[in-house]
Amino acid sequence: MKTKLSAFFILALVSFAILACEGPIGPEGPQGAKGDSGAAGTAGVAGAAGAAGAAGAAGAAGATGAAGAGVSSVVSYTVGTTWTSSGTVNVPSTFYKRETGLTNVTAISASVMSTGIVLAFFSENAGTEYSQLPKTYPLTGGVGTEIVDFKFKLNGWTLSNFREDSAEPSVWTRTSNRLRIVVINNPGGRIDVN
């Protein structure tokens, strides 16, 4: 047994001596070839969507709107042949025209003049259709026009008939022309249409 321990001890001493006498590290060898790429990893699983939130409370009621616009009157007139003339026929610088009108239309009040609207519609020679004024009529042969125009003032209105070429107009001579005026108060308010 003593011999075995001596042999082991000698072997250990020789191994230590060999390790202690190791020479210097040699130069680095060339780089080896690149290895193959590894397999792609699997994609992650998306998370589930969250539940929808509860509906919000109803909003407060809006403010009451302004008073609605009102039509204070719709008045129709038969326009006869009592029209006055001004200017001189066939002299353009004098602006020849025929006019008729009324001065006792109480619906066209000071408040209408300040904030209202007056619209006029014309029906030629007792026709069944009305056109908003001003109304333009092409003359025979398509050269020039004849015009019926409307103006309003406090408690009244004026209807005019003239031609662009200052010749005598003809619409005024018809005995059954009709004029319809619509007077609207408070046009800036809310309008309820039924």
Side-chain angles (χ1 to χ4, degrees):
M1 174 131 174
K2 192 173 180 178
T3 306
K4 283 184 184 179
L5 280 175
S6 293
F8 177 75
F9 182 72
I10 290 172
L11 182 62
L13 191 59
V14 169
S15 295
F16 179 72
I18 289 172
L19 287 176
C21 293
E22 190 174 294
I25 296 174
E28 186 175 333
Q31 183 173 348
K34 184 176 179 182
D36 294 335
S37 298
T42 57
V45 178
T64 301
V71 175
S72 64
S73 64
V74 177
V75 186
S76 293
Y77 304 93
T78 297
V79 183
T81 56
T82 308
W83 296 58
T84 59
S85 63
S86 62
T88 305
V89 175
N90 296 322
V91 180
S93 62
T94 66
F95 189 61
Y96 181 78
K97 63 183 172 181
R98 293 281 184 157
E99 289 186 327
T100 188
L102 286 179
T103 57
N104 60 350
V105 185
T106 57
I108 305 177
S109 63
S111 66
V112 169
M113 292 298 295
S114 176
T115 60
I117 295 174
V118 178
L119 302 173
F121 301 87
F122 188 72
S123 177
E124 181 188 356
N125 207 21
T128 57
E129 294 182 353
Y130 283 81
S131 299
Q132 188 168 2
L133 293 178
K135 169 79 173 160
T136 301
Y137 298 89
L139 296 176
T140 304
V143 179
T145 57
E146 182 170 340
I147 299 164
V148 177
D149 201 2
F150 174 82
K151 296 183 291 190
F152 68 93
K153 58 188 176 184
L154 181 62
N155 297 323
W157 54 262
T158 302
L159 198 61
S160 301
N161 183 206
F162 56 92
R163 284 176 48 153
E164 286 181 317
D165 60 4
S166 296
E168 177 73 57
S170 63
V171 173
W172 74 275
T173 62
R174 297 164 195 159
T175 59
S176 299
N177 293 327
R178 301 281 295 159
L179 175 69
R180 178 171 293 169
I181 64 170
V182 179
V183 180
I184 303 173
N185 288 314
N186 190 27
R190 192 179 57 213
I191 298 176
D192 186 14
V193 179
N194 291 316

